[in-house]
Amino acid sequence: MDFNRREFLQTAAVGAVVAPSFGAGALADSKLPMRDFGKTGIKVSALGFGSGSRFLMYEQEDRALEALTLALDLGVTYIDTAHSYGDGKSEGWIGKLMPERRKQVTLATKIAARKADDARRQIEQCLKLLQTDHLDVLHIHALSGPEDLAAIEAKGGVLEALYEAREQKIARAIGITCHAAPEALKTALERHDFNCTQMALNAAMARMAEGKGGMKATRMPTGGFEELALPVAVRKGMGVIAMKVFGQDQITSAAPIDKLLAYSLSLPVSLASLGMPKPEFIRRNIELARAFTPMPAAERRRLTDSIATERKAALVEFFREHRDA
């Protein structure tokens, strides 16, 4: 059935997260919640390890691998990367751990190609860098609007390569990601047989777009992901990954971290994928996810309203052309 915004908010969830202490004992004694990844049959941790620009901030491979190892040891099972992150550097780092860790993780990557032949080559490169013979999740990276969608779904387009990868069991689930074009994502999800999707879902109801002074996270007063694309994904039983939970760190001064994470996890999503450029962020976010209780719709609305209008406006402009590198 279709959702209007009020009905959707009422069905999406319910309590506030309690800010925990950050002792090692608490981390050892509790488990990271697991959720269904839509109708795929895959179970994923409620927190995913984002391996984009924040992961590349570790700069040195050994430090990056130590961080990823810490996250996996503490219960994260979902690894989110893309072929374009560092021109393959992110995938290459992750691949160093896969000989020992592959069976323990849900491994997701994204390809930017829009032609089927280019996509097939990129998929081969991804598999080689990640040191695996299959992907759990394969996304079309960063849908940017109607014209981009037309290229994706055209004859000889990347969508053909994704269907092929799923049929050949190279990828278990296929999907599409979007930073700033909720109407186009809604159309894509309605038209095509995706298993999953990834979109910007945060308390500022913002997307990332180009603005004065660089990328800004901008409020979408109407027609945002939460209103348009998310209900379609829920109705079709897709796995949903929330990204940009902290608005690329542009809304962290407007609300507590625990509240921002609780907001996104209280939506009907499978997980929130977070970039965590320091080990202390990994420990903090994992403990917050472990302490999570759903945030009621009324509290979510109050949190959204509390974020300054100008900050929300800046966020939409930031997300419009945003790409992780």
Side-chain angles (χ1 to χ4, degrees):
M1 64 178 176
D2 291 325
F3 288 67
N4 63 34
R5 177 165 177 74
R6 177 170 295 180
E7 289 170 340
F8 177 65
L9 288 171
Q10 287 174 343
T11 59
V14 291
V17 108
V18 177
S21 63
F22 294 99
L27 285 175
D29 293 341
S30 58
K31 295 181 179 180
L32 196 57
M34 302 294 290
R35 296 182 174 186
D36 291 327
F37 194 62
K39 297 189 295 187
T40 64
I42 301 171
K43 288 276 191 180
V44 294
S45 55
L47 198 68
F49 190 87
S51 305
S53 58
R54 298 303 194 261
F55 185 48
L56 297 173
M57 288 171 65
Y58 285 102
E59 296 184 346
Q60 298 175 1
E61 181 180 290
D62 59 344
R63 294 182 63 239
L65 296 185
E66 287 174 4
L68 180 54
T69 297
L70 174 63
L72 299 181
D73 286 347
L74 292 177
V76 171
T77 68
Y78 191 95
I79 302 176
D80 171 35
T81 187
H83 192 57
S84 62
Y85 293 165
D87 294 324
K89 180 183 287 187
S90 173
E91 290 180 327
W93 284 352
I94 293 166
K96 298 293 178 67
L97 293 186
M98 288 305 97
E100 295 181 0
R101 296 282 196 162
R102 183 66 185 92
K103 293 181 180 180
Q104 303 169 19
V105 302
T106 298
L107 185 59
T109 197
K110 316 178 195 78
I111 54 173
R114 294 307 191 244
K115 297 290 187 181
D117 287 343
D118 294 336
R120 293 183 187 103
R121 285 190 287 271
Q122 285 190 0
I123 292 168
E124 288 181 7
Q125 293 168 350
C126 293
L127 293 171
K128 182 177 180 180
L129 286 168
L130 289 166
Q131 297 191 39
T132 186
D133 62 358
H134 72 285
L135 298 161
D136 297 298
V137 177
L138 177 62
H139 281 295
I140 297 169
H141 199 178
L143 171 66
S144 62
E147 292 182 2
D148 190 28
L149 178 57
I152 286 167
E153 61 192 9
K155 183 176 177 57
V158 59
L159 190 58
E160 292 181 6
L162 256 68
Y163 285 148
E164 180 182 285
R166 185 172 61 186
E167 290 167 3
Q168 296 177 356
K169 301 190 184 306
I170 294 170
R172 182 171 177 180
I174 60 171
I176 188 166
T177 77
C178 188
H179 295 81
E183 182 67 49
L185 182 61
K186 174 179 181 288
T187 301
L189 299 182
E190 289 174 334
R191 284 182 183 171
H192 303 295
D193 183 22
F194 293 116
N195 306 108
C196 53
T197 184
Q198 183 164 329
M199 64 187 84
L201 292 167
N202 53 61
M205 294 186 179
R207 61 184 180 181
M208 299 304 280
E210 186 68 41
K212 292 182 179 180
M215 293 292 186
K216 301 294 181 184
T218 311
R219 172 77 186 275
M220 294 174 288
T222 60
F225 289 107
E226 194 174 321
E227 180 182 359
L228 296 178
L230 184 56
V232 178
V234 172
R235 186 169 66 245
K236 295 184 75 172
M238 297 180 187
V240 179
I241 305 102
M243 64 175 170
K244 310 307 177 189
V245 170
F246 302 140
Q248 207 75 0
D249 292 337
Q250 293 185 46
I251 58 174
T252 54
S253 61
I257 291 291
D258 61 323
K259 298 294 187 183
L260 295 174
L261 182 57
Y263 181 98
S264 295
L265 286 179
S266 295
L267 299 173
V269 302
S270 303
L271 68 130
S273 178
L274 303 182
M276 298 177 275
K278 295 181 180 180
E280 53 265 38
F281 294 169
I282 296 171
R283 292 182 179 276
R284 176 200 66 190
N285 292 333
I286 287 175
E287 188 161 353
L288 290 173
R290 287 175 171 177
F292 168 76
T293 56
M295 179 182 285
E299 185 174 351
R300 293 203 312 275
R301 288 194 293 272
R302 286 195 297 271
L303 179 61
T304 293
D305 291 344
S306 73
I307 299 175
T309 301
E310 60 270 20
R311 190 184 301 266
K312 293 169 183 171
L315 269 173
V316 175
E317 292 311 313
F318 179 77
F319 273 129
R320 189 185 305 277
E321 299 298 333
H322 172 75
R323 297 291 186 278
D324 270 335

